[in-house]
Amino acid sequence: MKILVTGATGYIGKRLIPLLIQNEHQVICCVRDKLRADESYKNESLIEIIEADFLKPETLKNIPKDIDVAYYLIHSMSNSSKDFESLEEKCAKNFKTCLETTKVKQVIYLSGITNEEELSKHLRSRQNVEKILESKHYATTIFKAGIIVGSGSSSFEIIRDLVEKLPFMIAPKWLNTKTQPLAVRDVLAFLSGAAGHNKLYNKTYDVFGPEVLTYKQLLLQFAEVRNLKRYILTVPVMTPKLSSYWLYFVTSTSYKLATSLVDSMGVQIIGKPSNINEILKVSPLTYKQAVSLAFEKIEQNSIISSWKDSMVSSGRLPNNLHKYVNVPKYGCFKDYKERPVENPKKTIDKIWAIGGKNGWYYGSFLWRIRGYIDKAVGGIGLRRGRTNPTELHAGDALDFWRVIFADKTQQKLLLYAEMRLPGEAWLEFKIEEGVLKQTATFRPRGLWGRLYWYSVLPFHGFIFKGMITKLSKTQ
């Protein structure tokens, strides 16, 4: 079958595509920026990459007319703008209008469980999208899931941060809210198994794991898997705002996502039973099994996708990476340094391993201080880390930077700063004729931008000089 996948660079989409390829489907990857498409797709004969933005109807002409199935995987927990619901509504309407001009037979949508009378803003929005997607032109299959547990998922990483950093927690009362977590492997089994399955046409199913657990139990069972002793005291005095700040400062999440999560965590998420497990032959894992499997993937460095790589996780950088590939030359301050390299391959490997647990090779304490300052003023800090310890791709998160361009054959890496700044900043590493060229570029915004550059100039001289020296050497 010919299958359209929207949200192809997202957490679920990125993991679904390989399964569809394994089943020998022809897959149309729909992305807003081709630079963000997985590099391996270029060599896959069953994959075609197209650019389309469902908020811009004029870009949808790229979608083929002869598709059989389409996955609608467009939504974001981290977007907390006031017009979030209207944006999602517009996106869904444009998708529907476009798909009704094609030969598509089935649209598959991953939504959230909405069985309570009072719903969070995001669950209301997803419920609204379900209604919008209904059409006489094609059949819909809707899967509604709660918390998704897997390596790189937002819920998994946030729980991990809390459990591994805090032996004792004074936590808000919403930790007593009940939910039914589902392993990401099972989510993908439902999604991939539904393609072309006519028994599922115009049907809606809640999909969930075998246990009903409170968020407090999720934390404690996670600790058991990790062989950690943890103690949690829930108190009724934490307001939603205080709870959001608690998540924001303790975990690697952004404040926007923390606010959305707190809003959603006050709602009980219990699914309605159905026969979908029998139809698709899926036996959902327990929560502990899902956590254990996630750590197996982490230890094998085989995390396919992470919520941290979502462009909206920081709220700073738009999705069009190509606009930032050409670093500005005028009206900017630059710190340029170069060094001959002893071994270009080893230097490139060092550059590709920069950040995260490896740090920035020099002045690590200053990088940490800059991360704390960024977090204190509402930025993302250094806690976001990186998805893979040795690989980098355009669109990846890298501490408080975003990868704009990464090509080992061209021996070039370009990063864009997502920290809070009175301006814009780029950091480029490039090897030419055996010489490593390192350029930090800052485009100031007004007087404050200029004052900022001069105030950090002494630290830049110290940090960037030490960093390029370390990178250029084999040891």
Side-chain angles (χ1 to χ4, degrees):
M1 289 185 293
K2 195 168 189 177
I3 298 178
L4 176 76
V5 178
T6 64
T9 59
Y11 179 73
I12 295 295
K14 216 170 179 181
R15 294 176 180 234
L16 177 63
I17 290 166
L19 297 179
L20 299 177
I21 295 301
Q22 286 177 19
N23 293 330
E24 298 185 347
H25 296 303
Q26 184 179 353
V27 179
I28 311 298
C29 293
C30 192
V31 298
R32 280 184 284 189
D33 190 336
K34 283 188 176 181
L35 282 178
R36 293 205 61 211
D38 195 294
E39 292 175 12
S40 64
Y41 295 170
K42 298 173 184 177
N43 302 318
E44 177 54 66
S45 60
L46 290 175
I47 291 181
E48 179 185 349
I49 303 170
I50 62 170
E51 283 189 342
D53 185 341
F54 287 94
L55 288 174
K56 300 175 181 177
E58 66 274 13
T59 68
L60 306 186
K61 61 182 182 297
N62 296 326
I63 293 176
K65 302 295 183 183
D66 58 342
I67 55 176
D68 301 297
V69 176
Y71 284 92
Y72 190 75
L73 303 174
I74 302 173
H75 44 63
S76 171
M77 278 291 291
S78 53
N79 191 331
S80 60
S81 61
K82 293 181 180 179
D83 59 348
F84 170 78
E85 289 171 288
S86 64
L87 289 175
E88 286 223 319
E89 183 174 311
K90 181 180 178 181
C91 212
K93 285 181 177 177
N94 288 339
F95 172 87
K96 176 181 177 179
T97 300
C98 174
L99 268 287
E100 286 183 338
T101 66
T102 71
K103 297 179 180 179
V104 68
K105 302 178 185 67
Q106 180 191 28
V107 167
I108 301 171
Y109 174 49
L110 179 61
S111 184
I113 293 175
T114 54
N115 295 327
E116 298 298 307
E117 289 186 9
E118 292 188 17
L119 299 174
S120 67
K121 178 181 178 181
H122 285 265
L123 287 175
R124 285 198 310 269
S125 180
R126 294 188 184 185
Q127 191 176 55
N128 184 45
V129 169
E130 293 172 27
K131 296 175 182 177
I132 293 171
L133 293 180
E134 293 176 1
S135 173
K136 294 179 181 179
H137 181 85
Y138 54 75
T140 56
T141 302
I142 298 171
F143 292 113
K144 307 173 78 165
I147 282 189
I148 296 174
V149 183
S151 56
S153 74
S154 59
S155 54
F156 176 88
E157 296 297 340
I158 288 169
I159 290 172
R160 181 183 182 184
D161 276 346
L162 291 172
V163 169
E164 294 186 352
K165 293 175 182 175
L166 302 176
F168 178 76
M169 296 177 227
I170 299 176
K173 63 182 179 179
W174 49 253
L175 252 65
N176 295 319
T177 303
K178 294 179 179 179
T179 186
Q180 282 185 287
L182 181 64
V184 66
R185 186 178 76 170
D186 297 322
V187 174
L188 296 169
F190 286 120
L191 290 172
S192 60
H197 204 308
N198 56 23
K199 286 186 178 180
L200 306 185
Y201 283 9
N202 294 318
K203 298 287 181 64
T204 298
Y205 298 96
D206 288 354
V207 289
F208 44 85
E211 306 153 297
V212 176
L213 302 170
T214 64
Y215 289 103
K216 182 177 180 178
Q217 288 173 314
L218 295 185
L219 291 167
L220 292 175
Q221 288 195 19
F222 193 102
E224 288 175 19
V225 173
R226 301 299 289 159
N227 295 316
L228 297 169
K229 282 283 187 182
R230 293 297 182 258
Y231 303 91
I232 302 173
L233 173 66
T234 56
V235 294
V237 294
M238 273 199 184
T239 65
K241 191 168 186 177
L242 281 175
S243 296
S244 299
Y245 280 120
W246 179 66
L247 280 182
Y248 171 62
F249 284 111
V250 174
T251 73
S252 55
T253 183
S254 65
Y255 181 72
K256 286 183 178 181
L257 182 55
T259 303
S260 300
L261 287 169
V262 169
D263 186 34
S264 298
M265 284 174 174
V267 179
Q268 181 171 273
I269 300 176
I270 307 297
K272 291 181 180 178
S274 69
N275 62 344
I276 188 60
N277 292 0
E278 289 75 29
I279 293 174
L280 294 181
K281 296 179 172 58
V282 178
S283 298
L285 300 175
T286 65
Y287 174 65
K288 283 188 175 181
Q289 288 173 330
V291 171
S292 297
L293 183 62
F295 275 102
E296 285 180 22
K297 297 293 184 184
I298 291 169
E299 289 164 6
Q300 295 166 3
N301 291 329
S302 57
I303 302 176
I304 298 174
S305 62
S306 171
W307 73 274
K308 297 174 186 178
D309 296 331
S310 167
M311 299 303 286
V312 291
S313 66
S314 71
R316 281 251 346 175
L317 182 65
N319 281 276
N320 298 323
L321 295 183
H322 64 273
K323 292 183 178 179
Y324 297 83
V325 168
N326 296 316
V327 181
K329 296 180 180 179
Y330 304 105
C332 299
F333 295 111
K334 289 184 183 289
D335 183 297
Y336 175 79
K337 291 178 172 58
E338 62 178 50
R339 295 283 189 281
V341 296
E342 298 175 1
N343 186 317
K345 183 182 183 306
K346 286 189 176 180
T347 294
I348 282 294
D349 288 341
K350 276 187 175 182
I351 292 171
W352 252 248
I354 204 165
K357 292 182 179 179
N358 283 334
W360 292 78
Y361 298 115
Y362 196 80
S364 297
F365 71 100
L366 290 174
W367 285 99
R368 286 196 294 271
I369 290 171
R370 184 63 182 90
Y372 295 142
I373 293 172
D374 190 55
K375 197 81 173 175
V377 297
I380 53 180
L382 287 175
R383 291 177 183 166
R384 192 169 60 173
R386 50 182 293 160
T387 300
N388 188 290
T390 58
E391 295 182 11
L392 289 175
H393 305 282
D396 285 358
L398 179 58
D399 291 338
F400 43 43
W401 299 88
R402 178 74 61 176
V403 178
I404 300 297
F405 183 87
D407 191 322
K408 279 191 172 182
T409 59
Q410 295 186 38
Q411 298 185 313
K412 176 180 174 180
L413 175 67
L414 178 64
L415 308 176
Y416 178 87
E418 291 192 301
M419 65 194 84
R420 296 287 178 178
L421 291 170
E424 294 180 291
W426 290 258
L427 181 59
E428 180 182 83
F429 303 95
K430 181 169 58 175
I431 296 179
E432 290 182 338
E433 298 179 351
V435 176
L436 173 60
K437 299 178 179 181
Q438 175 186 285
T439 309
T441 302
F442 181 69
R443 180 162 60 186
R445 185 171 58 247
L447 177 62
W448 284 112
R450 287 162 173 78
L451 290 174
Y452 169 82
W453 174 260
Y454 289 116
S455 67
V456 299
L457 197 57
F459 301 103
H460 281 179
F462 172 72
I463 291 172
F464 291 143
K465 180 181 178 181
M467 185 166 63
I468 192 171
T469 301
K470 289 281 188 179
L471 288 171
S472 61
K473 296 183 180 296
T474 55
Q475 300 297 325

